[in-house]
Amino acid sequence: MGDLISIHPTELKFPFELRKQSSCSMQLTNKTDKYVAFKVKTTNPKKYCVRPNSGIVLPGSSCNVTVTMQAQKEAPPDMQCRDKFLIQSVVAPDGATYIDVTSEMFNKEDGQVMDEFRMRVIYIPANPPSPVPEGSEEGSPPRETVHENGNQNSSFEDVSRSLEENKEKYSEELLRKDISKSRAGGFSLSFVVLVSLLGVLIGYLVKRA
């Protein structure tokens, strides 16, 4: 845990049910007598929204952060999730508000002293299965550890405050892809038509000769 803020819980546990949105929350507590700015990032920004995704925690006070996961169409193998969250925190100027929080405040290249805390995501079945024989769950922690270690180098990105923003970004990407495909398809069609016309013209000239 960092020197600036404490985070509870230390893992994000989502009740998981197919095609249903799910949320969980965490509490950030400022352990210092200074103003602390925080920012939340994730390895899968299209899947989650965080409110607030950045802000200021006053000296000795706490801030509740809600993380919402979009409805999922399918469950991952063994209900193991590889997604991670990163909570960054830095000392902010006295009297700062959430409006004063900028990306530059979390730039390591400026020599800024910054705390970083990584959180993994855990799925909890909304409808737990019937009890299993003892020993069957003993293999679960090692599998989680493998995912944890295997995902250390994942890149964290800024996460939106609302699912609507995520949907808009996703729609824009799909639109750009569709336009690119249509352009490529249009070029191919034009090329085929041009070749056909040339073939007809050559055949006509050959007949006249």
Side-chain angles (χ1 to χ4, degrees):
M1 199 68 68
D3 297 325
L4 301 179
I5 61 174
S6 62
I7 302 172
H8 182 79
T10 56
E11 298 173 327
L12 291 174
K13 298 182 179 181
F14 289 91
F16 188 91
E17 190 170 355
L18 288 177
R19 297 178 178 81
K20 285 194 177 182
Q21 183 175 299
S22 178
S23 297
C24 66
S25 61
M26 56 181 160
Q27 186 177 67
L28 313 183
T29 302
N30 187 344
K31 301 193 295 184
T32 74
D33 57 357
K34 302 178 182 298
Y35 282 67
V36 173
F38 73 89
K39 189 178 187 67
V40 182
K41 295 185 175 184
T42 181
T43 55
N44 197 345
K46 294 178 184 177
K47 186 175 177 180
Y48 304 93
C49 72
V50 178
R51 183 171 293 181
N53 56 1
S54 63
I56 296 288
V57 187
L58 302 181
S61 67
S62 299
C63 173
N64 289 320
V65 175
T66 300
V67 184
T68 302
M69 178 178 68
Q70 294 192 56
Q72 300 299 298
K73 295 180 180 179
E74 57 184 22
D78 298 326
M79 289 292 285
Q80 302 297 315
C81 182
R82 295 175 179 270
D83 301 335
K84 300 288 186 296
F85 277 80
L86 176 70
I87 292 83
Q88 299 176 313
S89 57
V90 296
V91 174
D94 289 345
T97 67
Y98 73 95
I99 299 176
D100 302 313
V101 179
T102 63
S103 298
E104 287 71 22
M105 296 175 69
F106 303 91
N107 192 344
K108 295 180 181 179
E109 295 178 358
D110 294 338
Q112 178 75 269
V113 177
M114 177 170 56
D115 277 352
E116 293 187 333
F117 184 75
R118 288 170 170 76
M119 304 179 74
R120 64 176 179 171
V121 174
I122 296 177
Y123 291 155
I124 302 174
N127 300 310
S130 56
V132 293
E134 284 189 14
S136 298
E137 296 181 356
E138 291 180 2
S140 297
R143 285 204 302 271
E144 292 178 2
T145 304
V146 170
H147 290 323
E148 180 79 19
N149 294 337
N151 209 40
Q152 287 291 335
N153 297 323
S154 298
S155 59
F156 290 91
E157 301 177 37
D158 292 344
V159 57
S160 301
R161 289 190 297 271
S162 68
L163 292 177
E164 284 71 21
E165 290 182 27
N166 281 348
K167 289 176 181 177
E168 287 177 6
K169 291 179 182 178
Y170 184 60
S171 297
E172 289 175 1
E173 287 185 12
L174 288 179
L175 182 60
R176 283 197 294 268
K177 289 180 180 178
D178 288 342
I179 292 175
S180 298
K181 287 181 180 178
S182 63
R183 285 178 177 172
F187 175 79
S188 299
L189 182 60
S190 300
F191 184 74
V192 170
V193 171
L194 181 60
V195 171
S196 299
L197 289 174
L198 285 174
V200 172
L201 180 60
I202 292 173
Y204 176 71
L205 292 176
V206 169
K207 286 180 179 179
R208 292 196 60 181

